Amino acid sequence: MALLLQPLIGDNETWLKPLRQLLPGEDIRIWPNVGNAEDIEFAAVMRLPDGKLAEFPSLRMICSLLAGQDILLSDPGLPDVPIVRTDDQEGSESMTTTVLVHVLRHYCQLPQYAAMQARGGWERLPHRWKKDTNVGFLGLGLFGAGAARRIAHEGFNVMGWSRTTKNVEGVTSFSGPQGLMEMLRKTHILVNLLPLTPETRGMVNREVLGALPKGASLINLGRGAHLRASDLYWALDEGILSHATLDVFEVEPPPPGERAWTDPRITLTPHVARLEYDIESTVLHIAKAINAIRGGQSLQGLVDRRRGY
Amino acid sequence: MALLLQPLIGDNETWLKPLRQLLPGEDIRIWPNVGNAEDIEFAAVMRLPDGKLAEFPSLRMICSLLAGQDILLSDPGLPDVPIVRTDDQEGSESMTTTVLVHVLRHYCQLPQYAAMQARGGWERLPHRWKKDTNVGFLGLGLFGAGAARRIAHEGFNVMGWSRTTKNVEGVTSFSGPQGLMEMLRKTHILVNLLPLTPETRGMVNREVLGALPKGASLINLGRGAHLRASDLYWALDEGILSHATLDVFEVEPPPPGERAWTDPRITLTPHVARLEYDIESTVLHIAKAINAIRGGQSLQGLVDRRRGY
């Protein structure tokens, strides 16, 4: 029996060296060199072509290497085996740094000062103090809760919305449609870290953006499919949003000529919110899951297919 | 006898209201309405025209409202009375936020991603981990030490250089010419927070910049006079610096046509590093100093004219 591995980043040896130490004697095959499909017992993958995982009759478990499960779950032929997350605190710490730099950029009005530099201006802009700045998070999962806690620690007023009410230190928690509107009406900086599910697809729409106070700003670190570009442009044109920072986009990369490339009120980064990827930690999760399933123990970090994360 | 006040920011009432509570009955005059010059016992000012302070024969103390003392000390007619700093932890906290956002911007390569957006590119850049990123501070005074401690807490390797060796938690301290070169050779992100004195004027020169490893970056939050623009351009052209963020410039604002306005490897902000100015806290310092001098107690936060800060 074998483990099929699709390395997410880095070279193969960076994955194989710790894996061989943790799973001595394991037959590890690197995608796309599957060999005999009947040998594949475990698959540690980002995303294989649709229907591919269904070709492994002995498959007992999938280890998902991506933080968001939407990509894996969109495979219509996905076999009915447990899916285990390999993500952890390490990924959360990295996302927190990205949230921090963007929230501080928006708070310090660096996008506005960049526009000022471009037109040769030199004047101090009116400034809202940290203690008067409300940061609202969409999503309080592993990444959202970690980042929200950190932004609260930084001295901002922090609120968060999620499917169910959460208890996060220093963060006012909201849930449900009414809770969403209540949070949005007070939000100066909106950070999206929702998982992509059928319920959240397109959720950051005109109704949501329209509930923000004029001059608010948006940081989308979730998925491009949470936010239609046309809704974003509408909110900028209406003066609802003063700036938007997008690490994800409806189509990636955005097509040439797309307004987001050149609008000075849009900061685009190429899906790099997760700065650091700790291969060793991921490999540890893979080994743990394999040992658990072989030892008949319960699996940690199981993905709930119905909820989508 | 009277206190002459030159409010730094905000309207006069924001200063007068708390001052009147703390110093009941005090005759407070707002610059330039001095009245009888012989009445002025105390002056709480940013900077009056050269020679003006010398016109107050009863002057017993100057409260300096600016963080840097170079501007006040450059008055050739500055009378020989104690100068007291009114700056404190509040100012330091505000400067720390500015250091944090810029260090994180450079670390996350946001300037490089902005240039990528401008040319329609979409690719992940190679990334150095926090634990492998060395941040070097020039200056470990109130602002420098506070910011350095914070950046260390963030997970970076932090070093700091100052006139004398300092003991700052989590920060490797350097001093002297050899210590400077030793620190620079290891510095990926150089943050200047030196006070401006005859010794530090023009100190961030070609020798200093040339000691940095190729691809390092610079954040100047000190004074424009620390860094000649020609030396900065040289370091960018040589590939020593990959990016520079300047909150101060040789001449402010930089003249029209100055390269710094348009070079994509230079971020300019209009001398706004100190985001928040806590008038109440400053006013408290002024009242304390006046009460101390009247009560014959020793003064806190005395400026050392010889050292220049």
Side-chain angles (χ1 to χ4, degrees):
Chain A
M1 304 308 284
L3 161 65
L4 175 65
L5 176 72
Q6 181 188 28
L8 183 63
I9 54 152
D11 57 22
N12 293 347
E13 267 312 304
T14 322
W15 293 76
L16 288 173
K17 208 179 144 193
L19 263 179
R20 285 197 193 105
Q21 284 186 337
L22 291 162
L23 300 169
E26 188 79 30
D27 179 358
I28 304 171
R29 305 192 185 164
I30 304 283
W31 172 262
N33 301 314
V34 176
N36 187 345
E38 289 180 12
D39 298 342
I40 305 302
E41 191 179 7
F42 307 112
V45 297
M46 299 181 285
R47 167 74 198 258
L48 300 188
D50 275 359
K52 195 73 207 173
L53 285 164
E55 295 176 10
F56 308 136
S58 318
L59 192 71
R60 293 175 71 187
M61 174 182 62
I62 300 164
C63 294
S64 168
L65 301 186
L66 294 179
Q69 304 311 320
D70 51 303
I71 296 177
L72 194 62
L73 294 180
S74 70
D75 178 355
L78 190 69
D80 188 21
V81 298
I83 302 169
V84 169
R85 240 185 301 274
T86 58
D87 221 330
D88 66 349
Q89 219 44 53
E90 186 67 40
S92 170
E93 175 53 32
S94 169
M95 184 59 91
T96 291
T97 299
T98 298
V99 171
L100 183 61
V101 69
H102 288 303
V103 167
L104 288 176
R105 271 179 65 238
H106 285 227
Y107 163 69
C108 293
Q109 302 177 87
L110 296 186
Q112 285 81 358
Y113 282 121
M116 189 185 285
Q117 175 180 358
R119 63 171 191 268
W122 187 272
E123 50 166 338
R124 182 182 275 268
L125 296 171
H127 178 78
R128 181 186 283 126
W129 286 48
K130 268 186 192 171
K131 63 181 173 57
D132 301 323
T133 301
N134 304 328
V135 182
F137 282 82
L138 294 173
L140 284 177
L142 175 68
F143 286 5
R149 203 180 294 117
R150 178 52 189 283
I151 298 298
H153 190 71
E154 193 63 31
F156 294 93
N157 296 321
V158 181
M159 306 173 288
W161 182 88
S162 51
R163 204 174 52 87
T164 55
T165 307
K166 295 281 171 74
N167 193 1
V168 182
E169 188 196 335
V171 178
T172 310
S173 175
F174 295 87
S175 64
Q178 273 197 310
L180 178 60
M181 288 298 137
E182 198 184 333
M183 180 182 92
L184 293 168
R185 275 194 291 271
K186 292 184 272 192
T187 295
H188 300 119
I189 302 174
L190 183 66
V191 182
N192 177 40
L193 278 169
L194 286 167
L196 184 63
T197 68
E199 286 74 37
T200 67
R201 184 173 289 272
M203 200 184 112
V204 189
N205 54 22
R206 294 191 187 197
E207 193 194 348
V208 161
L209 296 171
L212 295 168
K214 288 246 170 189
S217 67
L218 171 71
I219 298 167
N220 189 11
L221 305 172
R223 292 285 184 207
H226 285 132
L227 170 68
R228 259 187 296 268
S230 56
D231 290 346
L232 168 73
Y233 301 147
W234 168 83
L236 287 165
D237 291 340
E238 291 290 317
I240 297 163
L241 290 181
S242 58
H243 196 80
T245 292
L246 313 171
D247 187 55
V248 290
F249 203 77
E250 252 187 308
V251 192
E252 291 178 17
E258 179 76 35
R259 172 174 162 182
W261 287 115
T262 50
D263 190 321
R265 292 175 301 165
I266 297 176
T267 300
L268 268 188
T269 54
H271 208 135
V272 292
R274 172 151 187 170
L275 299 161
E276 301 176 344
Y277 194 92
D278 188 342
I279 296 175
E280 278 194 49
S281 154
T282 302
V283 157
L284 206 66
H285 279 279
I286 296 171
K288 259 192 200 168
I290 290 178
N291 287 330
I293 215 167
R294 285 203 173 129
Q297 290 146 353
S298 65
L299 288 167
Q300 301 294 310
L302 273 177
V303 171
D304 182 331
R305 291 176 186 231
R306 198 181 41 79
R307 290 194 317 193
Y309 56 92
Chain B
M1 304 309 282
L3 161 65
L4 175 65
L5 177 73
Q6 181 189 26
L8 183 64
I9 55 153
D11 56 23
N12 294 345
E13 267 312 304
T14 322
W15 293 75
L16 289 172
K17 208 179 146 193
L19 264 178
R20 285 198 194 105
Q21 286 187 336
L22 291 161
L23 300 168
E26 188 78 29
D27 180 358
I28 303 171
R29 304 193 186 163
I30 302 283
W31 171 262
N33 301 314
V34 175
N36 186 345
E38 290 179 12
D39 298 344
I40 306 300
E41 191 179 8
F42 307 112
V45 297
M46 299 181 283
R47 167 76 198 255
L48 300 188
D50 275 357
K52 195 74 207 170
L53 286 163
E55 295 176 10
F56 308 136
S58 317
L59 193 69
R60 296 175 69 187
M61 175 183 61
I62 299 164
C63 293
S64 169
L65 301 186
L66 293 179
Q69 305 311 321
D70 52 302
I71 296 178
L72 194 61
L73 294 181
S74 70
D75 178 355
L78 190 69
D80 187 21
V81 298
I83 303 170
V84 168
R85 241 185 301 274
T86 59
D87 222 331
D88 66 348
Q89 221 43 56
E90 186 68 41
S92 169
E93 174 52 33
S94 169
M95 184 58 90
T96 291
T97 300
T98 299
V99 171
L100 183 61
V101 68
H102 289 303
V103 168
L104 289 176
R105 271 179 65 239
H106 284 227
Y107 163 70
C108 293
Q109 301 177 86
L110 295 186
Q112 285 80 357
Y113 282 121
M116 188 186 285
Q117 176 180 358
R119 65 169 188 268
W122 187 272
E123 49 166 339
R124 181 183 277 266
L125 297 171
H127 179 76
R128 179 186 286 126
W129 286 48
K130 268 187 193 171
K131 63 180 174 58
D132 301 323
T133 301
N134 304 329
V135 182
F137 283 81
L138 293 173
L140 285 176
L142 176 68
F143 287 5
R149 203 180 294 119
R150 176 55 186 284
I151 298 298
H153 191 72
E154 193 63 31
F156 294 94
N157 295 323
V158 180
M159 305 172 289
W161 181 89
S162 51
R163 204 175 52 86
T164 55
T165 307
K166 297 280 172 74
N167 192 359
V168 182
E169 187 197 336
V171 178
T172 309
S173 175
F174 295 87
S175 64
Q178 272 197 311
L180 179 60
M181 288 299 136
E182 198 184 332
M183 180 182 92
L184 293 168
R185 276 194 290 270
K186 291 184 272 192
T187 295
H188 300 118
I189 302 174
L190 183 66
V191 182
N192 177 39
L193 277 170
L194 285 167
L196 184 63
T197 69
E199 285 73 40
T200 66
R201 183 172 291 272
M203 199 185 111
V204 190
N205 55 21
R206 292 189 188 198
E207 194 194 346
V208 161
L209 295 172
L212 295 168
K214 289 248 169 189
S217 67
L218 171 71
I219 299 168
N220 190 9
L221 305 173
R223 292 284 184 209
H226 285 132
L227 170 67
R228 259 188 296 271
S230 55
D231 290 346
L232 168 72
Y233 302 148
W234 169 83
L236 287 164
D237 291 339
E238 291 290 316
I240 297 162
L241 290 181
S242 58
H243 196 80
T245 292
L246 314 171
D247 188 53
V248 289
F249 204 76
E250 252 187 307
V251 191
E252 293 178 14
E258 179 75 36
R259 172 174 161 183
W261 287 115
T262 49
D263 190 320
R265 291 174 303 165
I266 297 176
T267 301
L268 268 189
T269 54
H271 206 134
V272 293
R274 174 150 186 170
L275 299 161
E276 301 175 342
Y277 192 92
D278 188 342
I279 296 175
E280 279 194 49
S281 153
T282 302
V283 157
L284 206 65
H285 279 277
I286 296 171
K288 259 191 200 167
I290 290 177
N291 287 330
I293 216 166
R294 285 200 173 132
Q297 292 145 353
S298 64
L299 288 168
Q300 301 294 311
L302 272 177
V303 171
D304 182 330
R305 291 176 186 228
R306 198 181 42 81
R307 289 196 316 194
Y309 56 94

